[in-house]
Amino acid sequence: MHEEIFHPATYATGVPYDAFRDMRAESPVAWIPEPAVGSWPAGTGYWAVFSHADVKHVLRSPELFSSNLGATQIRDPDTPEDLAFVRAMMLNQDPPDHSRLRRIVAAAFTPRAVRALEETIDRRARALIASAAGEETDFVELAADLPVWTLAHIMGVPDSDRRLLYDWASRVIGYQDDEYAGLSTADVASMSPMAQKAMQYRPASFTHPDGRPVNPRSYAALADMFAYAHALAAVKKENPTDDIMSRMLEGGLTDHEFENMFFLFAVAGNETLRNGIPGGLLTFLDHPSEFARLRADPSLLPTAVDEMLRYWPPVMDFRRTATRDLTLSGREIKAGEKVVVYHASANRDETVFPDPDRFDVARTPNDHVSFGFGPHFCLGAHLARTQMRAVFRELLPLRVERTGPPVRLASNFQNGLKHLPVRLTPAR
C-alpha cells in the first residue's frame, strides 16, 4: 500500500500533496514498499515520516537516525564497496566526522563570503534574463546557467568546463528519468585539455554485463568526474587560490573524502537551484495575483523566496537509518531499517503553516525544512537565497507568459522540471 509515494512516475505528474495530507492525519509514520522500477530492482521498503515535528526530530537526532549507516538516498548502494565509498561524503556522515568535514569548507559560505559574490551574481542574473527578453525560451535551461556558473566560480572550475557540472548532475539526479539521465551538453572540443583527458574515463555503458543498471552514485558511474577532480586538484596545488577546491586540498582530506566532497558540490551545489528557480517561476505563474503583489512591493522578495522554497521544495526527501530499536509516532522501528523524511510533506503541515496549500509571498514565520534541519542544515542556504533573489529581481519588471506546458522530472527525490517554455517581454 502507498507505493505511489515511492514510485518516480508519481512525481512526473506532480507531488502527491493530497496523499501526504492524508498520511499526516492517518499515519504520520508509515511503511512504504519499494517495488522494482523498470530495470532497477525492488528495495527493502522504508518508514516514511510525514509530519513537520517528526521530520525535525529525525534530522536533529543523528545518534538515533544515522546518515552514515546506509547513506542518505532511498535506494541502497549496489555493493558494500559502493556503500563504503559514498559514506565518505559529508552529506553521508554523522557528527563528529560530519562536523570536521563541514568546517573545512564552511568559510566559503558565510554571509560575509556570499555578500562578496552578490554583485557578480546579480550581473550574471541580469545578463541571463536580458538575453531572453522578447523571446520564447525554455526557462529551465536559462535558469540552470546561474547556479552552474556560480558553482564553477567558487570551485575554480574553468568556464570552458563548467557545463560538465550540469551533465554530471543530470546523470546522478535524473537516473529515474531517461531523458534527464542521458543529457550530455558539454562541448568536448572547447573544453580544457584536462577536461578532454577526463572525458576518456566516461563509462561507455551505464549497465552491468548482466543488464542491471549501474548505480549513478557509484565510483564506476562517475569515473570521468573523479578523473577531472584530481586533474583540477593538481592545478590548484601548483596555483592555490581562495576557492573551495583549494580549501579542500588544504584541509587534510583523504582521497575518498576529497572525491566525495567534489561530488557533493558538483551535483548538490547546482541541481537544487536548477530546479528550484524554475519551480518558483511556475508557482508564480500558477498564482498570478501573488506575482502582481510582489511586483507592487519588491520589498517582499526575501519572504517570497522562502515561500517559493516551502511551496516547491527542490529536494523532497532524505533517508536516514535507525541506529537502534525505537518508537516514532507509535511505530516500532527496528535497528537498521530505513527512515525517509519527507520535506515536501512537512512543508505543508497544517499544524505549522496556516492554510498550507496557499502560496503567500508575505508568509511569516516560515519554518520550512527545504534546507534541512539540525547538523545537516544546508551550507549553501544563504548562497541559494542570494541567487534566487537575483533572478526574480530581474523578472519583476517583465511580463512572463507560458508558451507551452511544463514538463516535470520523474524522480522521487528531486522536485524538478525538465522544460518550462515561456516568453519574457517588458511589462506594459
Side-chain angles (χ1 to χ4, degrees), residues 21-232:
R21 182 191 61 237
D22 293 344
M23 296 305 291
R24 288 193 302 272
E26 299 167 10
S27 187
V29 176
W31 183 257
I32 306 295
E34 284 181 79
V37 178
S39 56
W40 296 93
T44 59
Y46 59 91
W47 292 103
V49 181
F50 297 106
S51 77
H52 189 273
D54 285 340
V55 165
K56 276 196 160 184
H57 173 64
V58 171
L59 292 177
R60 68 170 170 251
S61 307
E63 72 282 3
L64 300 176
F65 304 97
S66 170
S67 299
N68 189 242
L69 287 178
T72 51
Q73 300 297 307
I74 294 177
R75 176 177 169 79
D76 291 316
D78 289 343
T79 66
E81 292 76 18
D82 287 344
L83 175 59
F85 174 69
V86 299
R87 288 176 71 183
M89 184 184 293
M90 183 173 69
L91 182 68
N92 299 328
Q93 297 233 340
D94 300 319
D97 291 329
H98 170 266
S99 306
R100 173 181 62 86
L101 294 175
R102 190 179 178 99
R103 282 193 296 269
I104 291 171
V105 293
F109 296 97
T110 63
R112 180 179 179 182
V114 173
R115 279 196 300 272
L117 289 171
E118 282 185 7
E119 186 177 342
T120 305
I121 290 170
D122 287 345
R123 281 199 305 267
R124 186 70 182 186
R126 191 175 306 121
L128 274 177
I129 301 303
S131 71
E135 299 180 1
E136 181 176 340
T137 186
D138 187 339
F139 191 76
V140 172
E141 178 66 22
L142 182 72
D145 182 88
L146 182 62
V148 172
W149 180 87
T150 302
L151 185 65
H153 181 77
I154 65 174
M155 291 182 73
V157 172
D159 193 61
S160 61
D161 301 343
R162 63 184 168 85
R163 199 67 185 182
L164 286 170
L165 303 176
Y166 179 95
D167 291 345
W168 291 327
S170 300
R171 191 185 311 170
V172 171
I173 298 296
Y175 74 94
Q176 297 168 328
D177 188 301
D178 290 341
E179 177 187 356
Y180 210 76
L183 287 175
S184 182
T185 63
D187 179 12
V188 177
S190 64
M191 291 178 190
S192 69
M194 67 176 172
Q196 292 176 346
K197 186 175 181 180
M199 286 293 285
Q200 298 172 17
Y201 292 88
R202 188 178 192 270
S205 171
F206 294 100
T207 58
H208 293 289
D210 63 4
R212 291 181 300 109
V214 174
N215 193 310
R217 294 176 176 84
S218 66
Y219 197 95
L222 291 165
D224 52 329
M225 184 179 77
F226 296 125
Y228 183 86
H230 285 291
L232 184 60

